[in-house]
Coordinates of all heavy atoms in Angstrom, one line a residue:
M1002 N 32.5 -39.1 -30.7 CA 31.6 -38.7 -31.8 C 30.2 -38.9 -31.5 O 29.4 -38.1 -31.7 CB 32.0 -39.5 -33.1 CG 31.2 -39.0 -34.3 SD 31.6 -37.3 -34.8 CE 30.5 -37.1 -36.2
N1003 N 29.9 -40.1 -30.9 CA 28.5 -40.4 -30.5 C 27.9 -39.5 -29.4 O 26.8 -39.1 -29.4 CB 28.4 -41.9 -30.0 CG 28.6 -42.8 -31.2 OD1 28.4 -42.5 -32.3 ND2 29.0 -44.1 -30.8
Q1004 N 28.8 -39.1 -28.5 CA 28.4 -38.1 -27.5 C 28.0 -36.8 -28.1 O 27.1 -36.2 -27.7 CB 29.5 -38.0 -26.4 CG 29.8 -39.3 -25.6 CD 30.9 -39.1 -24.6 OE1 31.6 -38.1 -24.7 NE2 30.9 -39.9 -23.6
T1005 N 28.8 -36.3 -29.1 CA 28.5 -35.1 -29.7 C 27.1 -35.1 -30.4 O 26.3 -34.2 -30.3 CB 29.6 -34.7 -30.7 OG1 30.8 -34.7 -30.1 CG2 29.2 -33.4 -31.4
V1006 N 26.8 -36.2 -31.1 CA 25.6 -36.4 -31.7 C 24.4 -36.4 -30.7 O 23.4 -35.7 -30.9 CB 25.5 -37.6 -32.5 CG1 24.1 -37.9 -33.1 CG2 26.5 -37.6 -33.7
A1007 N 24.6 -37.0 -29.5 CA 23.6 -37.1 -28.5 C 23.3 -35.7 -28.0 O 22.2 -35.4 -27.7 CB 24.1 -38.0 -27.4
I1008 N 24.3 -34.9 -27.8 CA 24.1 -33.5 -27.3 C 23.2 -32.7 -28.3 O 22.4 -31.9 -28.0 CB 25.4 -32.8 -27.0 CG1 26.0 -33.6 -25.8 CG2 25.2 -31.4 -26.7 CD1 27.4 -33.1 -25.5
K1009 N 23.6 -32.8 -29.6 CA 22.9 -32.0 -30.6 C 21.5 -32.5 -30.9 O 20.7 -31.6 -31.3 CB 23.7 -32.0 -31.9 CG 25.0 -31.2 -31.8 CD 25.9 -31.2 -33.1 CE 27.1 -30.4 -33.0 NZ 27.9 -30.4 -34.2
D1010 N 21.3 -33.7 -30.8 CA 20.0 -34.3 -31.2 C 19.0 -34.3 -30.0 O 19.2 -35.0 -29.0 CB 20.2 -35.7 -31.7 CG 18.8 -36.4 -32.2 OD1 17.8 -35.7 -32.2 OD2 18.8 -37.6 -32.5
P1011 N 17.9 -33.4 -30.1 CA 17.0 -33.4 -28.9 C 16.2 -34.6 -28.7 O 15.6 -34.9 -27.7 CB 16.0 -32.3 -29.3 CG 16.1 -32.2 -30.8 CD 17.5 -32.6 -31.2
A1012 N 16.2 -35.6 -29.7 CA 15.5 -36.8 -29.6 C 16.3 -38.0 -29.2 O 15.9 -39.1 -29.1 CB 14.7 -37.1 -30.9
S1013 N 17.6 -37.6 -28.9 CA 18.6 -38.7 -28.6 C 18.2 -39.4 -27.3 O 18.0 -38.7 -26.3 CB 20.0 -38.2 -28.5 OG 20.9 -39.2 -28.0
P1014 N 18.2 -40.7 -27.2 CA 17.8 -41.4 -26.0 C 18.9 -41.3 -24.9 O 18.7 -41.6 -23.7 CB 17.7 -42.8 -26.5 CG 18.5 -43.0 -27.7 CD 18.4 -41.7 -28.3
E1015 N 20.1 -40.8 -25.3 CA 21.2 -40.6 -24.3 C 21.1 -39.3 -23.5 O 21.8 -39.2 -22.5 CB 22.6 -40.7 -25.0 CG 23.0 -42.1 -25.5 CD 22.3 -42.4 -26.8 OE1 22.0 -41.5 -27.6 OE2 22.1 -43.7 -27.1
R1016 N 20.3 -38.5 -23.9 CA 20.2 -37.1 -23.2 C 19.0 -37.0 -22.3 O 17.9 -37.4 -22.6 CB 20.1 -36.0 -24.2 CG 20.1 -34.7 -23.7 CD 19.9 -33.6 -24.7 NE 19.9 -32.2 -24.2 CZ 19.5 -31.2 -24.9 NH1 19.0 -31.3 -26.0 NH2 19.6 -30.0 -24.3
T1017 N 19.3 -36.7 -21.0 CA 18.2 -36.5 -20.1 C 17.6 -35.1 -20.2 O 18.3 -34.1 -20.1 CB 18.8 -36.6 -18.6 OG1 19.4 -37.9 -18.5 CG2 17.6 -36.5 -17.6
T1018 N 16.3 -35.0 -20.5 CA 15.6 -33.7 -20.7 C 15.0 -33.3 -19.4 O 13.9 -33.7 -19.1 CB 14.6 -33.9 -21.8 OG1 15.2 -34.5 -23.0 CG2 14.0 -32.5 -22.2
F1019 N 15.8 -32.6 -18.6 CA 15.3 -32.2 -17.3 C 14.0 -31.2 -17.3 O 13.3 -31.3 -16.4 CB 16.4 -31.5 -16.4 CG 17.4 -32.6 -16.0 CD1 18.6 -32.7 -16.6 CD2 17.1 -33.4 -14.9 CE1 19.5 -33.7 -16.1 CE2 18.0 -34.4 -14.4 CZ 19.1 -34.5 -15.0
A1020 N 14.0 -30.4 -18.4 CA 12.8 -29.5 -18.5 C 11.5 -30.3 -18.5 O 10.5 -29.9 -17.8 CB 12.9 -28.6 -19.7
I1021 N 11.5 -31.4 -19.2 CA 10.2 -32.2 -19.3 C 10.1 -33.0 -18.0 O 8.9 -33.0 -17.5 CB 10.4 -33.2 -20.5 CG1 10.4 -32.4 -21.8 CG2 9.2 -34.2 -20.5 CD1 9.2 -31.6 -22.1
L1022 N 11.2 -33.5 -17.4 CA 11.0 -34.1 -16.1 C 10.4 -33.2 -15.0 O 9.6 -33.6 -14.2 CB 12.4 -34.7 -15.7 CG 12.9 -35.9 -16.5 CD1 14.3 -36.3 -16.0 CD2 12.0 -37.0 -16.5
F1023 N 11.0 -32.0 -15.0 CA 10.5 -31.1 -14.0 C 9.1 -30.6 -14.3 O 8.2 -30.4 -13.3 CB 11.4 -29.8 -14.0 CG 12.7 -30.1 -13.3 CD1 13.9 -29.6 -13.9 CD2 12.8 -30.8 -12.1 CE1 15.1 -29.9 -13.3 CE2 14.0 -31.1 -11.5 CZ 15.2 -30.6 -12.1
A1024 N 8.7 -30.6 -15.6 CA 7.3 -30.2 -16.0 C 6.3 -31.3 -15.4 O 5.3 -31.0 -14.9 CB 7.2 -30.0 -17.4
V1025 N 6.6 -32.6 -15.8 CA 5.7 -33.6 -15.3 C 5.7 -33.8 -13.8 O 4.7 -34.1 -13.2 CB 6.0 -35.0 -16.0 CG1 5.7 -34.8 -17.5 CG2 7.4 -35.4 -15.8
S1026 N 6.9 -33.5 -13.2 CA 7.0 -33.6 -11.8 C 6.1 -32.5 -11.1 O 5.4 -32.7 -10.1 CB 8.4 -33.4 -11.2 OG 8.5 -33.5 -9.9
F1027 N 6.1 -31.3 -11.7 CA 5.3 -30.1 -11.2 C 3.9 -30.5 -11.4 O 3.1 -30.2 -10.4 CB 5.7 -28.9 -12.0 CG 4.9 -27.7 -11.7 CD1 4.8 -27.1 -10.4 CD2 4.0 -27.1 -12.6 CE1 4.1 -26.0 -10.1 CE2 3.2 -26.1 -12.4 CZ 3.2 -25.5 -11.1

């Protein structure tokens, strides 16, 4: 259940946001 919430919530600390990581890396 917690994993489902993490996937749906863009602010969840459990989800790695690669788009932002690649943006700051670029």
Side-chain angles (χ1 to χ4, degrees):
M1002 183 66 180
N1003 289 337
Q1004 291 179 343
T1005 305
V1006 173
I1008 292 172
K1009 289 182 179 180
D1010 182 7
S1013 171
E1015 287 80 25
R1016 185 186 181 193
T1017 304
T1018 309
F1019 284 101
I1021 296 300
L1022 291 178
F1023 288 133
V1025 294
S1026 182
F1027 174 66

